[in-house]
Amino acid sequence: MSDAAQPTAAEVRAAAEAVKTALDRHLAAVERRSGEEDPAVYDAFNELAAAAEAYDELLYDRYDEVTPFEIPGEDTLPPYTGPEEPSALSVLIRRDYAVAEPQRLMAQARRVEAADEDAPGAGASGTVHGALGLLFGEFEPDEIASRHKEFGLEEGDSTLWVTAADESAEPGEWLEAPFEQVDPERVVCRFDVSAVFDEEFDDGDDEDGDEDDEDGEADLPDLDEDLDTDLDTDLDTDLDEDGESARLEADR
């Protein structure tokens, strides 16, 4: 950073005083708290976090120094302020996938395409985005989640939010922008699944994992290969129209 853009020593000192003031206000709010989710404590917490972050940035810009404090991110929900007895609710779900095996994905889509007379134009299964449209149009999201490997997909992070409402929305009311008006203060509960939650256990589990292999777990990759071979053979088998339709019905 250039000298002209650097904050002055007075600005850094003022930011430090702001942290002290915010710290006193936070302690006072905690001492007067009316319950576990007192909004005054929540507001004071946010003010303290903002003041500490501003001071940390100015301190670094002016003196190339940092504070020992870790500023919390926005990954926590604010206190719940929705109705005590909700008469309606919305469930918001996001699941991320990576397309790990495009050929497997398109092979499954071809099976759907061959059996569905109302499927999109011929050849939709020949592209990844076309195959995704076919599969997600044919199967429920929960079924795809449970069978994602069969469709050539690899699971990523996922989250589920349950939000409370005073009354049910009118039909078609939110379809154009379904996720734009989510009020975090009306989230009753949320459930997150992510590989980052397992990272802290990885280092300590290496030795135990080796012992498990000795107990017979090492044979699992061979089983996966056999299953993959069976599935690939099944997908590539040419059946007449009646046989293909029957097999699809059985799968469902």
Side-chain angles (χ1 to χ4, degrees):
M1 176 178 288
S2 65
D3 293 339
Q6 283 185 345
T8 65
E11 289 175 328
V12 179
R13 174 65 62 180
E17 293 298 326
V19 173
K20 297 175 186 178
T21 300
L23 188 61
D24 289 337
R25 289 177 178 172
H26 181 259
L27 177 58
V30 171
E31 291 173 337
R32 297 192 303 267
R33 72 190 310 164
S34 58
E36 292 185 1
E37 297 183 350
D38 190 333
V41 175
Y42 176 76
D43 292 340
F45 174 90
N46 285 338
E47 291 175 6
L48 177 58
E53 185 173 13
Y55 171 62
D56 190 83
E57 291 179 355
L58 292 174
L59 186 70
Y60 181 80
D61 292 343
R62 176 69 184 182
Y63 299 111
D64 198 26
E65 290 290 344
V66 295
T67 65
F69 310 121
E70 180 179 354
I71 308 303
E74 296 295 328
D75 57 347
T76 57
L77 292 172
Y80 176 74
T81 61
E84 289 298 323
E85 298 182 3
S87 59
L89 59 89
S90 294
V91 179
L92 310 178
I93 301 175
R94 171 174 172 170
R95 295 187 180 111
D96 283 4
Y97 298 96
V99 180
E101 300 179 74
Q103 295 302 320
R104 181 183 290 262
L105 176 76
M106 291 186 287
Q108 289 280 21
R110 284 195 295 272
R111 298 177 63 193
V112 173
E113 197 172 44
D116 188 357
E117 296 179 355
D118 297 326
S125 61
T127 64
V128 170
H129 74 272
L132 288 170
L134 283 167
L135 292 175
F136 277 87
E138 178 71 13
F139 300 99
E140 293 291 335
D142 287 344
E143 184 172 2
I144 290 180
S146 65
R147 301 173 55 189
H148 62 278
K149 291 184 179 180
E150 295 180 35
F151 301 125
L153 302 176
E154 181 178 310
E155 282 185 316
D157 291 353
S158 66
T159 186
L160 182 150
W161 293 27
V162 179
T163 64
D166 295 311
E167 57 184 17
S168 298
E170 294 294 328
E173 180 179 347
W174 48 260
L175 293 181
E176 291 185 0
F179 305 115
E180 287 187 356
Q181 298 180 348
V182 180
D183 185 352
E185 294 186 353
R186 286 187 168 233
V187 175
V188 177
C189 57
R190 61 178 290 181
F191 304 95
D192 299 322
V193 177
S194 176
V196 299
F197 300 148
D198 300 328
E199 290 179 356
E200 59 186 281
F201 302 107
D202 288 347
D203 293 338
D205 289 345
D206 288 343
E207 293 182 2
D208 293 338
D210 292 340
E211 292 179 0
D212 289 340
D213 289 344
E214 292 177 2
D215 291 336
E217 296 294 335
D219 293 333
L220 289 178
D222 294 336
L223 178 59
D224 290 340
E225 291 178 3
D226 292 340
L227 292 174
D228 288 343
T229 300
D230 292 342
L231 179 58
D232 291 338
T233 301
D234 182 48
L235 291 176
D236 293 336
T237 300
D238 292 328
L239 299 176
D240 57 33
E241 184 175 352
D242 292 339
E244 184 69 10
S245 299
R247 189 174 63 185
L248 278 172
E249 291 299 328
D251 289 344
R252 295 177 194 169

